[in-house]
Amino acid sequence: MHDTAPVAAATAWLVMLGETLARGDIAATLELFAEDCYWRDIVAFTWNVKTMEGKPAIAAMLEATLGGTQPSAWQVTRATGGHAQPLEAWFSFRTGVGQGQGIFTLEGGKCRTILTTLQSLDGHEEAIGFTRPMGVRHGADRNRETWSEARARQEAAFGNGADPYCLVIGGGQGGIMLGARLKQLGVPTVIVEKNARAGDSWRNRYRSLVLHDPVWYDHLPYLPFPAHWPVFTPKDKMGDWLEMYVKVMELSYWGGTECLSARFDAAEQRWTVELKRDGKPLTLKPVQLVFATGAYGPPKFIPLPGATGFKGEILHSSQYSDGARYKGKRAVVIGAASSGHDVSVDLWEAGAEVTMVQRSPTTVVRSETLMELAFDTYSETAVAAGIDVDTADLMGAATPFALQPQKQRALYDRIRARDAAFYDKLRATGFLLDFGPDETGLMMKAYRTGSGYYVDVGASQLIIDGEIGIKAGVEIETLTPTGIRFADGSEVAADLIIQSTGFHSMHEVVAKIVSREVADEIGTCWGLGSGTRNDPGPWHGELRNMYKPVAQDNLWFQGGNLALSRFFSKFVALQIKARMEGISTPVYRTPLT
């Protein structure tokens, strides 16, 4: 097959899709799809983040949205594959309000998967490239306002009570990236953060922390890391980058500001938000309120019988920053996921005697192995092949969550075979290993629960060498004045106990700031409804309540790792911008979303 054949085959299919949709002939449209088919839509058709699984679900979505979406101008931009392998095609299209982009796959001439995304709003495009601002108005003007004067005026206006259209609670990576997207779309936005400076959410964490994901996966919108940036970013370097980013992107960022309460007026369609900025009360009335407090909510403590009689110190991992004062002390870390491993290493480096208490099995993957096998589209090789971060993001989004387990299971079969000797040594210490309830490994755990895994950047070898002790699979009976007694009668002495026991759902932050009733109406955030441990069904097919309209009007959740925050910040910003401009945004929902 010559190079133009995949494009011709993809174009023929896309022309038929466009024609059947233009006629409103949903039955004919469904004939273009395989029986086992998936349509993932991000804002373009549904003003939501939804995956329709199977023909009946696709039909229901099209019946509800096709008239308002008015899709047209379908055009294949590139295609590969065909014959014995699936054909994959990238395409552009238009809706009644903007420009879209997507990817579809064909198997046997029928569509197996299709992704549609809204990329911009007509008349409200970002001012970039050829449309970038001039930055100066030539000619003499006695009333000239310089750039710095205009920035100062804008900041002073918000500080004096002028209301932004959008208020973002949380100034970590998620809030900052969303703020940058909203800024480029001309949405007046204020970001509030309890810490004093942008980047403090990274700086304040334990001293040895380094990002576990590689640089190609972690870029921020508009300003990618420079070519000399290290593959793995130290946490203070990341903090400095975020602080620089806030300045360069000209964000209205209020450090040292706590959100005390928020209440929504349904009649006015506005929030009243009470803040404390630098110790002084301030009220703002934004239209949209975004919770960007991370992927999770408040720290989760487990009950420890006998804690009142323990003579040492008990902390949550979120309260831990430096092990220097624990040199020579006996430290017990409860929890064996990412923070548990990282804190254990930091304590060991500080000279503490460390024991890790493992309550349930952990998925462990060596960083080197992930780099070799799992980051093929986020790498220097990918960049050299013309796959930039935005391309890689869309490629990843094109696989619906329902099809991820099969791909991840195959990946982890390769990983276990490659590192079999490593896993044998780790198991020999008593460490409890697993690869998820269905053998799908780290990524599916991340999506389902955000817990239960560790990318090995050094802790596992310390465990293998006996430098970090392991107490696994035995319940804690009680704390004693000098340590922990377990259900098997054994005891571990401790001067310090750190609970690396995770975090509650983000909606618990809503309960604290808005109300318990609103939080319960929204429900938990994160997870897919996979029916696996800590991710109860029913199946959602998308992350619960993230990046899309929720049960409470004018309230949004933005968070996740750097990659998810980067990708979905665009679509949260487009949804908010559309509402600001009065564009009709009929949200397609099913009983779960």
Side-chain angles (χ1 to χ4, degrees), residues 162-409:
D163 295 318
Y165 182 78
C166 182
L167 181 68
V168 178
I169 302 172
Q173 62 206 34
I176 286 171
M177 284 192 250
L178 178 59
R181 300 280 197 188
L182 291 167
K183 177 77 175 184
Q184 292 303 106
L185 288 173
V187 178
T189 301
V190 169
I191 304 167
V192 297
E193 166 61 39
K194 287 193 295 185
N195 289 311
R197 297 161 55 199
D200 279 352
S201 57
W202 284 99
R203 294 188 192 96
N204 293 343
R205 300 181 72 183
Y206 37 92
R207 58 179 288 277
S208 61
L209 177 63
V210 175
L211 273 68
H212 292 176
D213 294 324
V215 61
W216 307 280
Y217 189 65
D218 288 342
H219 290 300
L220 276 64
Y222 311 113
L223 290 176
F225 295 113
H228 69 270
W229 200 262
V231 173
F232 297 104
T233 306
K235 56 107 175 178
D236 294 297
K237 191 175 181 73
M238 187 69 216
D240 289 347
W241 182 263
L242 290 175
E243 187 171 29
M244 177 280 302
Y245 188 89
V246 164
K247 292 179 180 178
V248 171
M249 297 305 297
E250 302 178 20
L251 307 184
S252 295
Y253 188 99
W254 293 0
T257 304
E258 184 178 2
C259 182
L260 303 176
S261 67
R263 66 181 185 277
F264 184 67
D265 187 314
E268 290 189 4
Q269 288 290 295
R270 277 188 177 273
W271 292 90
T272 298
V273 183
E274 304 296 340
L275 305 169
K276 184 166 69 174
R277 186 184 186 195
D278 297 326
K280 298 178 181 179
L282 178 67
T283 302
L284 291 179
K285 291 191 173 184
V287 176
Q288 307 290 343
L289 188 65
V290 180
F291 284 82
T293 53
Y296 317 111
K300 183 187 295 182
F301 288 86
I302 62 170
L304 294 173
T308 56
F310 178 62
K311 294 181 179 179
E313 186 177 359
I314 301 175
L315 299 173
H316 189 270
S317 58
S318 60
Q319 300 168 310
Y320 174 87
S321 60
D322 188 351
R325 64 192 181 98
Y326 302 112
K327 181 178 182 179
K329 301 289 187 180
R330 298 164 299 183
V332 174
V333 178
I334 301 173
S338 295
S339 63
H341 280 80
D342 286 345
V343 168
S344 294
V345 171
D346 195 72
L347 285 163
W348 179 87
E349 290 181 348
E353 178 186 322
V354 186
T355 300
M356 181 186 292
V357 175
Q358 186 184 28
R359 298 181 300 145
S360 59
T362 307
T363 298
V364 177
V365 190
R366 297 174 67 243
S367 175
E368 297 90 337
T369 303
L370 275 183
M371 287 283 291
E372 180 181 329
L373 300 182
F375 281 101
D376 53 329
T377 56
Y378 296 96
S379 65
E380 204 64 43
T381 302
V383 172
I387 302 175
D388 62 14
V389 68
D390 294 328
T391 301
D393 283 348
L394 212 64
M395 290 169 68
T399 301
F401 281 114
L403 296 182
Q404 287 284 0
Q406 180 180 349
K407 294 179 65 174
Q408 294 298 315
R409 198 176 294 114

Side-chain angles (χ1 to χ4, degrees), residues 72-209:
S72 64
W74 303 87
Q75 184 173 358
V76 171
T77 54
R78 64 179 182 272
T80 58
H83 275 322
Q85 59 180 324
L87 186 152
E88 180 182 273
W90 290 61
F91 63 95
S92 60
F93 65 102
R94 290 188 49 80
T95 73
V97 300
Q99 303 285 336
Q101 186 179 21
I103 303 174
F104 64 83
T105 59
L106 300 182
E107 296 180 6
K110 301 279 189 175
C111 182
R112 180 84 192 286
T113 67
I114 184 169
L115 167 72
T116 47
T117 70
L118 183 67
Q119 293 289 317
S120 64
L121 296 168
D122 291 344
H124 306 288
E125 296 84 358
E126 296 183 9
I128 57 176
F130 287 107
T131 61
R132 73 175 73 215
M134 287 295 294
V136 66
R137 187 175 71 252
H138 293 296
D141 184 355
R142 285 178 171 167
N143 297 313
R144 180 188 304 279
E145 185 179 49
T146 66
W147 170 84
S148 59
E149 290 166 348
R151 283 285 294 146
R153 173 177 53 77
Q154 293 161 4
E155 289 299 303
F158 287 136
N160 290 327
D163 295 318
Y165 182 78
C166 182
L167 181 68
V168 178
I169 302 172
Q173 62 206 34
I176 286 171
M177 284 192 250
L178 178 59
R181 300 280 197 188
L182 291 167
K183 177 77 175 184
Q184 292 303 106
L185 288 173
V187 178
T189 301
V190 169
I191 304 167
V192 297
E193 166 61 39
K194 287 193 295 185
N195 289 311
R197 297 161 55 199
D200 279 352
S201 57
W202 284 99
R203 294 188 192 96
N204 293 343
R205 300 181 72 183
Y206 37 92
R207 58 179 288 277
S208 61
L209 177 63

Side-chain angles (χ1 to χ4, degrees), residues 348 354 422 424-431 456 458-470:
W348 179 87
V354 186
F422 164 76
D424 287 343
K425 292 176 184 177
L426 194 55
R427 286 190 187 94
T429 69
F431 190 92
D456 177 32
S460 293
Q461 191 61 49
L462 290 176
I463 293 170
I464 291 168
D465 293 341
E467 295 293 320
I468 294 175
I470 288 292

